[in-house]
């Protein structure tokens, strides 16, 4: 089994959202878009925000999103680094 699961990732992403707002991520597709975009950023040369010794870019992106190191913007399914 893959850890974290899609459900755990969606819960981690939506955890910081206000209760009256819609969840930032509502489907597996949204999670895939966000992680693939971040993985492409890592491949292009961005520095990882978590320790990634020997990990593939996608694994690093999933871990960054799960740990809250990357924000997902609500309107655009885009990821940005936290400042």
């Amino acid at each position: 089994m893959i850890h974290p699961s899609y459900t755990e990732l969606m819960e981690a992403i939506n955890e910081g959202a206000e209760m009256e707002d819609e969840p930032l991520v509502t489907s597996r597709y949204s999670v895939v878009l966000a992680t693939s975009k971040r993985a492409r950023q890592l491949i292009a040369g961005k520095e990882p925000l978590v320790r990634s010794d020997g990990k593939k870019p996608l694994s690093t992106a999933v871990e960054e999103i799960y740990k809250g190191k990357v924000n997902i913007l609500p309107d655009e399914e885009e990821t940005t680094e936290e400042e």
Side-chain angles (χ1 to χ4, degrees):
M1 172 163 248
I2 297 173
H3 182 75
S5 68
Y6 284 111
T7 305
E8 291 171 328
L9 272 174
M10 287 191 294
E11 288 172 0
I13 293 166
N14 292 328
E15 189 173 283
E18 307 243 346
M19 294 307 279
E20 65 243 9
D21 294 340
E22 289 184 31
L24 293 174
V25 175
T26 57
S27 69
R28 291 180 180 191
Y29 180 72
S30 301
V31 172
V32 169
L33 286 178
T35 54
S36 66
K37 180 162 187 158
R38 180 60 182 152
R40 280 185 250 122
Q41 290 174 348
L42 293 169
I43 291 168
K46 294 274 186 173
E47 289 295 317
L49 301 173
V50 296
R51 191 170 190 180
S52 63
D53 299 332
K55 290 184 184 175
K56 294 182 179 180
L58 186 59
S59 297
T60 302
V62 168
E63 188 175 348
E64 288 178 346
I65 290 173
Y66 184 67
K67 290 184 175 181
K69 302 291 185 180
V70 175
N71 288 331
I72 297 179
L73 302 177
D75 295 331
E76 300 177 2
E77 295 305 323
E78 222 176 277
T79 57
T80 59
E81 297 175 26
E82 282 189 16
E83 310 241 356

